Amino acid sequence: MNPVSDSCPHREACCQFGRSDKIIYGFLKEVGTNVFVHGTYDYDLAVIGGGSGGLACAKEAVNHGARVAVLDYVTPSPLGSKWGLGGTCVNVGCIPKKLMHQAAILGESIHEAVAYGWEVPAVGDVKINWSALTEAVQNHIKSVNWVTRVDLREKKIEYINGLGSFKDPHTIVATMKNGSKKELTARNIVIAVGGRPIYPDIPGAKEYCITSDDIFSLAHPPGKTLVVGAGYIGLECAGFLNSLGYSATVLVRSVPLRGFDQQMAGLVVAEMETRGVTFHRRAVPVSVEKMENGQLKARWMNTETKEQSEDVFDTVLLATGRYALTADLNLPAAGVGCVAPNGKIVAATEQTDAPHVFAVGDVLQDRPELTPVAIHAGRLLARRLFAGGQQQMDYDNIATTIFTPLEYGCVGLSEEEATRRHGADSLEVYHAFYKPTEFFIPQRNIRNCYLKAVALREAPQRILGLHFVGPVAGEVIQGFAAAIKCGITMEQLMNTVGIHPTVAEEFTRLNITKRSGKDPNPASCCS
């Protein structure tokens, strides 16, 4: 789209009656033009937060002719870690996490190469160079930061490296690094500030502990590490640290991977335990103190027995949840009042209770905290605002993967959630253990390689959820996510010819139900 100009054939008809922008837009759409009115605001769209969702929304808006500004500022972590433009995913989330996970896989592959005939000198002495690893990871991140800055400049999106907050419904005040203030106005405003890790209220938490904000740029090897929390961030960090050669212990408050299928979560934990990760269940941290030698003494308590335990670690990594960065936005000034105690904005869609203020990404309550979700929601929002789009974000059946040593990929409902919604008697659960070909040489543990399909029992048995624990789970589950979106049934899945030998084909071979009581273990790789 383009701004309404003096040459616009509909300008006089729209403006002489002093109609509101919304009415004008409807009129222009009706008469067949796609222009919209910029009005007296500095920008058509201001985005607070330069993460994946905010940037996607900004870029899409510019594609449709909007004038856009993006405000982004990273407050350093208590340890002092800070980063560039791009948000959590690029800097301290998905990207560095996957690179660390890949480093761990490569280390395992070096040892396994001997069994395939590779002559690897002194394989027993193979170890990670932490400084080289973090330098490589940070160099990649900085390159992405730079490309993102260049992309904004080329698209003529104004980037403001300042901390934004509302002065009134349409005015944002940006506090710059040097403390100076910059004001700007915008017709529409998108909140995409994401979140940051929660520090538990215990002695020594902020003074001596790190979080996922710090681990990927940690200046020294982490050594023996205590991970507090057993959500996906905690388990992923414990997994790659252990595989890189750093002893890892995990405190589990209640259940691992809360919100995910608990049978699959149990397999993930079981695999991590076989690889040497220690788990303390029903455990909550009590305190962390720094010893004279620089190590950390951590104490924790069993929530059932109230018994306290302690151990000495080199690093304590907190992964006890995240909160949304909305406290400093002065949301009441914008008319946004529906905010949860964790700072997240409560909204049925991306529109808040202020008609011109929207939110995308992790800042929304009860939405998947996933980068692709934020990106897609941001793009759809921009199309609705500036291109007459109607499509709303569909938050159901979002695929995801936990990058633990044995990965867990899933899409759709967990078995527990499917049971809650439909009742156990209405479900049929197909399941199987399997033997990845790549685990044959050398002989690797296959006890936790497992998958299942949760389906309605009534024909044609529409599939409600697919779950997979095994190698390259993310690559496996992505294609099946599209199938779930299309309403795939068990009959269709069983009539799909698999690619042999792959782990993904195991879904096409599912034929044993839990209800049958039959052995779900395969007789051979081709059974």
Side-chain angles (χ1 to χ4, degrees):
M1 295 182 181
N2 298 305
V4 175
S5 65
D6 292 338
S7 61
C8 173
H10 308 292
R11 187 172 185 272
E12 183 178 352
C14 291
C15 298
Q16 67 180 9
F17 296 107
R19 299 176 180 179
S20 70
D21 294 336
K22 187 172 182 181
I23 295 174
I24 292 172
Y25 176 77
F27 172 78
L28 295 175
K29 183 178 178 183
E30 183 178 346
V31 298
T33 182
N34 65 349
V35 298
F36 62 91
V37 181
H38 286 315
T40 59
Y41 297 102
D42 298 326
Y43 301 96
D44 303 300
L45 176 68
V47 178
I48 307 177
S52 302
L55 291 175
C57 186
K59 294 175 185 178
E60 185 68 22
V62 164
N63 289 341
H64 299 292
R67 297 171 302 167
V68 179
V70 171
L71 297 86
D72 186 67
Y73 182 83
V74 179
T75 303
S77 73
L79 191 70
S81 300
K82 55 185 178 180
W83 48 88
L85 181 64
T88 298
C89 175
V90 166
N91 294 283
V92 290
C94 317
I95 300 303
K97 175 269 303 289
K98 183 66 181 293
L99 293 174
M100 292 286 196
H101 177 63
Q102 177 64 16
I105 291 173
L106 289 173
E108 295 172 351
S109 298
I110 292 172
H111 291 85
E112 294 178 350
V114 175
Y116 281 93
W118 283 96
E119 296 180 359
V120 181
V123 68
D125 295 331
V126 172
K127 61 181 181 180
I128 192 72
N129 183 323
W130 178 261
S131 296
L133 172 60
T134 54
E135 182 180 3
V137 169
Q138 291 304 311
N139 284 343
H140 173 69
I141 290 171
K142 289 173 183 175
S143 71
V144 177
N145 296 151
W146 173 251
V147 168
T148 304
R149 289 282 298 272
V150 171
D151 193 31
L152 292 185
R153 185 167 62 244
E154 290 180 346
K155 293 181 182 298
K156 294 182 172 52
I157 297 173
E158 182 170 357
Y159 167 56
I160 301 170
N161 186 202
L163 188 64
S165 64
F166 286 95
K167 179 180 179 180
D168 60 46
H170 289 277
T171 305
I172 298 171
V173 178
T175 303
M176 315 304 282
K177 281 185 177 180
N178 61 6
S180 64
K181 308 284 187 179
K182 178 177 181 177
E183 286 193 11
L184 59 101
T185 60
R187 183 178 307 281
N188 300 289
I189 299 169
V190 171
I191 300 169
V193 292
R196 296 291 285 272
I198 294 172
Y199 284 78
D201 186 18
I202 61 170
K206 289 189 175 180
E207 294 87 349
Y208 308 125
C209 300
I210 69 169
T211 69
S212 56
D213 281 355
D214 312 296
I215 186 64
F216 305 112
S217 59
L218 197 64
H220 56 81
K224 180 181 177 182
T225 301
L226 174 68
V227 177
V228 182
Y232 74 92
I233 295 174
L235 293 193
E236 288 177 336
C237 289
F240 71 66
L241 287 174
N242 180 74
S243 295
L244 292 173
Y246 305 110
S247 172
T249 298
V250 179
L251 299 188
V252 186
R253 180 177 62 87
S254 54
V255 297
L257 297 179
R258 176 178 294 279
F260 290 88
D261 188 287
Q262 283 302 292
Q263 181 188 12
M264 311 306 285
L267 293 170
V268 168
V269 170
E271 178 68 22
M272 292 179 68
E273 287 180 315
T274 65
R275 296 180 182 225
V277 179
T278 300
F279 285 83
H280 294 293
R281 292 165 173 80
R282 303 293 176 187
V284 294
V286 173
S287 65
V288 177
E289 74 177 83
K290 194 167 188 177
M291 304 170 65
E292 290 185 1
N293 64 1
Q295 289 186 297
L296 303 175
K297 180 182 287 186
R299 294 184 176 89
W300 61 90
M301 180 182 70
N302 184 293
T303 57
E304 292 180 344
T305 66
K306 306 304 178 184
E307 179 183 357
Q308 289 198 19
S309 303
E310 65 179 46
D311 200 354
V312 176
F313 300 90
D314 298 302
T315 301
V316 176
L317 190 155
L318 303 174
T320 52
R322 296 174 69 82
Y323 68 96
L325 282 169
T326 57
D328 296 330
L329 294 181
N330 193 21
L331 292 178
V336 178
C338 294
V339 181
N342 61 3
K344 294 199 172 191
I345 295 171
V346 181
T349 61
E350 291 76 42
Q351 184 166 354
T352 71
D353 45 342
H356 67 288
V357 180
F358 306 84
V360 296
D362 294 1
V363 76
L364 280 171
Q365 177 79 339
D366 297 327
R367 299 304 186 197
E369 296 181 353
L370 299 168
T371 295
V373 172
I375 291 173
H376 196 57
R379 287 173 179 164
L380 291 178
L381 172 59
R383 291 168 193 165
R384 294 197 302 275
L385 289 175
F386 302 110
Q390 299 297 319
Q391 185 178 352
Q392 295 285 343
M393 177 66 189
D394 181 2
Y395 288 100
D396 289 332
N397 295 323
I398 303 294
T400 191
T401 293
I402 313 298
F403 290 99
T404 40
L406 198 59
E407 299 172 8
Y408 166 35
C410 59
V411 60
L413 302 183
S414 65
E415 188 172 347
E416 292 88 354
E417 182 61 20
T419 300
R420 188 186 71 80
R421 293 190 190 185
H422 301 279
D425 293 339
S426 298
L427 301 180
E428 197 74 272
V429 180
Y430 292 81
H431 69 146
F433 288 92
Y434 64 97
K435 300 177 181 179
T437 304
E438 50 267 52
F439 283 17
F440 290 168
I441 304 174
Q443 290 291 327
R444 287 177 57 179
N445 174 38
I446 62 171
R447 286 177 296 176
N448 300 310
C449 293
Y450 176 83
L451 72 160
K452 68 179 176 182
V454 182
L456 293 173
R457 183 175 299 179
E458 183 179 351
Q461 295 192 316
R462 180 170 63 87
I463 298 175
L464 305 174
L466 293 172
H467 301 266
F468 178 92
V469 170
V472 295
E475 311 300 335
V476 169
I477 210 69
Q478 181 65 81
F480 288 108
I484 288 283
K485 278 284 189 184
C486 295
I488 189 172
T489 66
M490 282 305 302
E491 180 181 356
Q492 291 170 329
L493 185 62
M494 292 176 176
N495 282 320
T496 299
V497 178
I499 302 171
H500 187 69
T502 66
V503 290
E505 74 170 322
E506 300 298 336
F507 273 118
T508 69
R509 296 162 61 175
L510 285 173
N511 61 82
I512 295 174
T513 66
K514 284 188 174 183
R515 186 164 55 99
S516 72
K518 294 180 180 178
D519 183 7
N521 289 285
S524 70
C525 71
C526 299
S527 61

